[in-house]
Amino acid sequence: MEKHFELSDNEFEQQFENCTLNPELFTHEAHLRLAWIHIKNHGIEKAIVIIREQIQNYAASLSAKDKYHETITVASIKAVSFFIKKSASENFYDFITENQQLKTHFKQLLATHYSTDIFNSETAKKEFLPPELDPFE
């Protein structure tokens, strides 16, 4: 179990929003948890707005503004939302256990939506590129 689970959803979200979350806790799985929390609390559209801002602020607080990637951020949120709609899980731990591919095969999952290499595209880093192959609906 990853260390971010030592925090409640509220503690995790608050520490992230306040840029006080230990950077060692902000793993790929923790990114997915942030999406899960905001989608559950606010719905997909508002979650996208909030998470964009929070990740950019968090990255800036770590002097890592160049790490932010718009397409991966938005695509991740949309992927989590897709799996939430199919899940009966009441908490993130059960959700990620049920949907391990989000954690273990994330790049392959996104490759089913994109023919473009979004991970290495400067355009994709700066602006959201919609999927060319399969929408996130």
Side-chain angles (χ1 to χ4, degrees):
M1 181 179 294
E2 291 194 19
K3 289 197 174 272
H4 67 87
F5 281 110
E6 294 174 4
L7 302 171
S8 70
D9 286 348
N10 189 49
E11 291 169 326
F12 174 77
E13 195 280 322
Q14 286 299 309
Q15 286 183 26
F16 190 76
E17 180 180 7
N18 297 332
C19 300
T20 58
L21 182 72
N22 181 337
E24 293 176 8
L25 299 183
F26 202 54
T27 62
H28 171 65
E29 182 180 280
H31 275 83
L32 298 172
R33 183 179 181 192
L34 187 66
W36 185 88
I37 290 168
H38 284 298
I39 292 165
K40 287 293 205 175
N41 290 339
H42 307 289
I44 181 73
E45 295 307 319
K46 190 166 183 184
I48 290 171
V49 172
I50 293 168
I51 293 168
R52 277 178 168 149
E53 180 180 337
Q54 286 185 351
I55 291 177
Q56 289 173 355
N57 290 342
Y58 187 72
S61 79
L62 299 173
S63 299
K65 288 171 103 173
D66 62 320
K67 299 275 187 188
Y68 179 77
H69 193 297
E70 177 71 7
T71 299
I72 293 173
T73 297
V74 175
S76 298
I77 299 164
K78 289 179 179 269
V80 170
S81 178
F82 175 83
F83 283 95
I84 284 173
K85 291 174 187 171
K86 297 175 173 253
S87 173
S89 298
E90 296 288 325
N91 59 66
F92 181 75
Y93 181 83
D94 291 344
F95 173 77
I96 200 63
T97 300
E98 176 186 358
N99 297 288
Q100 279 289 308
Q101 65 272 37
L102 282 167
K103 182 178 175 183
T104 60
H105 293 88
F106 184 72
K107 284 187 176 185
Q108 296 91 332
L109 177 69
L110 289 187
T112 66
H113 297 273
Y114 289 93
S115 58
T116 303
D117 179 5
I118 60 169
F119 292 94
N120 295 304
S121 165
E122 282 302 313
T123 303
K125 186 172 183 170
K126 295 175 184 165
E127 63 186 69
F128 176 66
L129 299 180
E132 306 100 348
L133 302 175
D134 188 20
F136 290 105
E137 296 171 26

